[in-house]
Short mmCIF file of all heavy atoms in Angstrom, two decimals:
data_model
loop_
_atom_site.label_atom_id
_atom_site.label_comp_id
_atom_site.label_asym_id
_atom_site.label_seq_id
_atom_site.Cartn_x
_atom_site.Cartn_y
_atom_site.Cartn_z
N GLU F 279 -3.21 12.38 8.66
CA GLU F 279 -3.98 11.77 9.75
C GLU F 279 -4.14 10.27 9.55
O GLU F 279 -4.22 9.81 8.41
CB GLU F 279 -5.37 12.40 9.84
CG GLU F 279 -5.35 13.90 10.07
CD GLU F 279 -6.69 14.54 9.72
OE1 GLU F 279 -7.36 14.09 8.79
OE2 GLU F 279 -7.04 15.52 10.40
N VAL F 280 -4.24 9.51 10.63
CA VAL F 280 -4.49 8.07 10.53
C VAL F 280 -5.96 7.84 10.23
O VAL F 280 -6.82 8.68 10.50
CB VAL F 280 -4.11 7.34 11.83
CG1 VAL F 280 -2.64 7.52 12.15
CG2 VAL F 280 -4.99 7.80 12.99
N GLY F 281 -6.26 6.65 9.67
CA GLY F 281 -7.64 6.21 9.51
C GLY F 281 -8.07 5.42 10.72
O GLY F 281 -7.24 4.86 11.43
N ASN F 282 -9.37 5.34 10.95
CA ASN F 282 -9.88 4.70 12.18
C ASN F 282 -10.32 3.25 12.00
O ASN F 282 -10.78 2.61 12.94
CB ASN F 282 -11.07 5.49 12.73
CG ASN F 282 -10.64 6.89 13.16
OD1 ASN F 282 -9.57 7.05 13.76
ND2 ASN F 282 -11.43 7.88 12.84
N ASN F 283 -10.19 2.72 10.78
CA ASN F 283 -10.80 1.41 10.53
C ASN F 283 -10.10 0.26 11.25
O ASN F 283 -10.66 -0.82 11.39
CB ASN F 283 -10.85 1.13 9.03
CG ASN F 283 -11.86 0.06 8.68
OD1 ASN F 283 -13.00 0.11 9.11
ND2 ASN F 283 -11.44 -0.92 7.91
N PHE F 284 -8.86 0.49 11.70
CA PHE F 284 -8.18 -0.59 12.42
C PHE F 284 -8.92 -0.95 13.70
O PHE F 284 -8.86 -2.09 14.17
CB PHE F 284 -6.73 -0.18 12.73
CG PHE F 284 -5.86 -1.34 13.15
CD1 PHE F 284 -5.63 -2.41 12.32
CD2 PHE F 284 -5.27 -1.35 14.41
CE1 PHE F 284 -4.84 -3.48 12.70
CE2 PHE F 284 -4.47 -2.42 14.81
CZ PHE F 284 -4.26 -3.48 13.96
N ASP F 285 -9.62 0.02 14.26
CA ASP F 285 -10.41 -0.24 15.47
C ASP F 285 -11.63 -1.09 15.19
O ASP F 285 -12.32 -1.52 16.12
CB ASP F 285 -10.88 1.09 16.09
CG ASP F 285 -9.71 1.97 16.48
OD1 ASP F 285 -8.62 1.42 16.75
OD2 ASP F 285 -9.87 3.21 16.52
N HIS F 286 -11.91 -1.32 13.91
CA HIS F 286 -13.11 -2.09 13.56
C HIS F 286 -12.77 -3.45 12.95
O HIS F 286 -13.63 -4.09 12.38
CB HIS F 286 -13.97 -1.27 12.59
CG HIS F 286 -14.43 0.03 13.17
ND1 HIS F 286 -15.62 0.18 13.84
CD2 HIS F 286 -13.83 1.25 13.21
CE1 HIS F 286 -15.75 1.43 14.25
NE2 HIS F 286 -14.68 2.10 13.88
N MET F 287 -11.50 -3.86 13.06
CA MET F 287 -11.11 -5.16 12.52
C MET F 287 -11.77 -6.28 13.33
O MET F 287 -11.83 -6.22 14.55
CB MET F 287 -9.59 -5.34 12.62
CG MET F 287 -8.76 -4.38 11.75
SD MET F 287 -8.81 -4.75 10.00
CE MET F 287 -10.01 -3.55 9.46
N CYS F 288 -12.25 -7.30 12.62
CA CYS F 288 -12.78 -8.48 13.28
C CYS F 288 -11.74 -9.59 13.41
O CYS F 288 -11.69 -10.28 14.42
CB CYS F 288 -14.00 -9.01 12.52
SG CYS F 288 -15.43 -7.93 12.58
N VAL F 289 -10.91 -9.76 12.38
CA VAL F 289 -9.91 -10.84 12.42
C VAL F 289 -8.49 -10.38 12.08
O VAL F 289 -7.52 -10.90 12.64
CB VAL F 289 -10.30 -12.00 11.48
CG1 VAL F 289 -11.49 -12.78 12.04
CG2 VAL F 289 -10.58 -11.51 10.07
N TYR F 290 -8.36 -9.42 11.18
CA TYR F 290 -7.03 -9.06 10.70
C TYR F 290 -6.15 -8.57 11.85
O TYR F 290 -6.52 -7.66 12.59
CB TYR F 290 -7.12 -7.96 9.62
CG TYR F 290 -5.78 -7.63 9.04
CD1 TYR F 290 -5.17 -8.47 8.12
CD2 TYR F 290 -5.09 -6.50 9.46
CE1 TYR F 290 -3.91 -8.19 7.62
CE2 TYR F 290 -3.84 -6.21 8.95
CZ TYR F 290 -3.25 -7.06 8.04
OH TYR F 290 -2.01 -6.79 7.55
N GLN F 291 -4.99 -9.21 11.99
CA GLN F 291 -4.02 -8.90 13.04
C GLN F 291 -4.60 -9.06 14.44
O GLN F 291 -4.21 -8.37 15.38
CB GLN F 291 -3.47 -7.47 12.85
CG GLN F 291 -2.68 -7.33 11.58
CD GLN F 291 -1.27 -6.83 11.81
OE1 GLN F 291 -1.01 -6.08 12.74
NE2 GLN F 291 -0.35 -7.26 10.97
#
Side-chain angles (χ1 to χ4, degrees):
Chain F
E279 301 162 326
V280 299
N282 295 319
N283 199 49
F284 195 61
D285 300 334
H286 300 268
M287 295 286 100
C288 292
V289 288
Y290 184 77
Q291 295 236 329

